[in-house]
Amino acid sequence: MQKVKSLIKSIFPNAVKGEKKLRIDYKALSQLAFSNKENNQQLTKAITPLVLDEILRKAERYKNTTFVEVPLLFECGFEDRFDKTIVVLRDKNKRIESVKLRSKLSEEQIKKRMAFQVDYENKDLSKFIVINNDKDKEQLKEQVFALIKKISE
C-alpha cells in the first residue's frame, strides 16, 4: 500500500499528506481524478495495474474457483485476463440513488464520475455472464448463488 501511496503522491502531491507515513486525502484525490479526463487516465493507468497484480497474486493462492472484483476492468482492458467475466448490471438511475445513499455525493458528482466509466448501456456484453440487479437483495442473492453453483460444477 505504501507503494501505491508513493505513486499517487508523485502524480498528485496535494492528494497525499505526510512524509514518512503517507495518508491519502481521498476527497482531494477524487476532486483531482474526476476534474478532467487526463487526470483520470493518468491515475487509472498508474494504479489499476498494481491493484490487478495484487488481486491476481492473492487469487493464485486458491486452487478452487475464485471470484474477484476488479475495479475498472473494462476501462483498462483487463476483461480477457480471467476465465469468465461476470457483469452485474443495474439501472442507471437506481445506481445513482444507491451511490447517493452510500457516499453522500451529489447526483452531479456521481454523473461526473460515471462519465469516466464504461457505458454499460451501449457496451456489447454478449460474451460475458450478465446478472441484472434491478430487483431486491434477496433476488440478487438467488441469482448469484445459482451462478456460483453452475460455475463450480
Side-chain angles (χ1 to χ4, degrees):
M1 187 63 170
Q2 193 69 13
K3 183 178 180 180
V4 170
K5 290 177 183 178
S6 296
L7 183 56
I8 292 171
K9 186 170 185 162
S10 72
I11 299 168
F12 300 121
N14 296 335
V16 180
K17 308 295 181 204
E19 291 301 320
K20 289 185 180 179
K21 185 174 180 171
L22 302 176
R23 293 178 329 279
I24 297 172
D25 179 342
Y26 289 100
K27 186 175 181 178
L29 181 61
S30 293
Q31 288 174 339
L32 290 163
F34 297 110
S35 64
N36 64 58
K37 191 173 184 170
E38 184 179 306
N39 281 0
N40 187 272
Q41 287 179 340
Q42 188 177 13
L43 182 65
T44 299
K45 286 181 181 178
I47 301 301
T48 306
L50 295 176
V51 172
L52 180 61
D53 287 347
E54 181 67 12
I55 289 169
L56 294 174
R57 188 182 64 74
K58 287 182 177 182
E60 284 178 5
R61 288 189 252 166
Y62 303 100
K63 294 185 177 154
N64 297 326
T65 301
T66 304
F67 293 84
V68 295
E69 181 180 0
V70 180
L72 304 173
L73 179 79
F74 294 112
E75 292 83 351
C76 295
F78 294 146
E79 62 268 24
D80 293 328
R81 299 212 31 205
F82 297 90
D83 296 331
K84 294 184 186 333
T85 298
I86 302 166
V87 179
V88 180
L89 291 181
R90 192 169 195 192
D91 172 76
K92 188 175 184 177
N93 292 324
K94 288 182 180 181
R95 279 190 289 149
I96 290 169
E97 289 307 312
S98 179
V99 173
K100 277 179 16 183
L101 288 172
R102 183 181 68 240
S103 67
K104 308 297 185 224
L105 294 172
S106 71
E107 188 167 330
E108 181 182 326
Q109 290 171 307
I110 295 166
K111 286 181 176 179
K112 195 172 186 180
R113 290 178 183 205
M114 288 173 77
F116 291 99
Q117 298 172 346
V118 126
D119 179 3
Y120 289 98
E121 293 170 354
N122 294 306
K123 178 150 182 74
D124 177 11
L125 299 172
S126 60
K127 69 177 192 174
F128 308 109
I129 300 167
V130 177
I131 294 177
N132 287 300
N133 180 21
D134 286 334
K135 298 185 177 146
D136 63 29
K137 265 187 188 177
E138 208 49 48
Q139 288 177 321
L140 177 62
K141 277 185 187 178
E142 287 174 20
Q143 289 182 77
V144 170
F145 287 131
L147 180 59
I148 289 171
K149 184 177 178 182
K150 182 179 176 183
I151 290 173
S152 299
E153 291 175 341

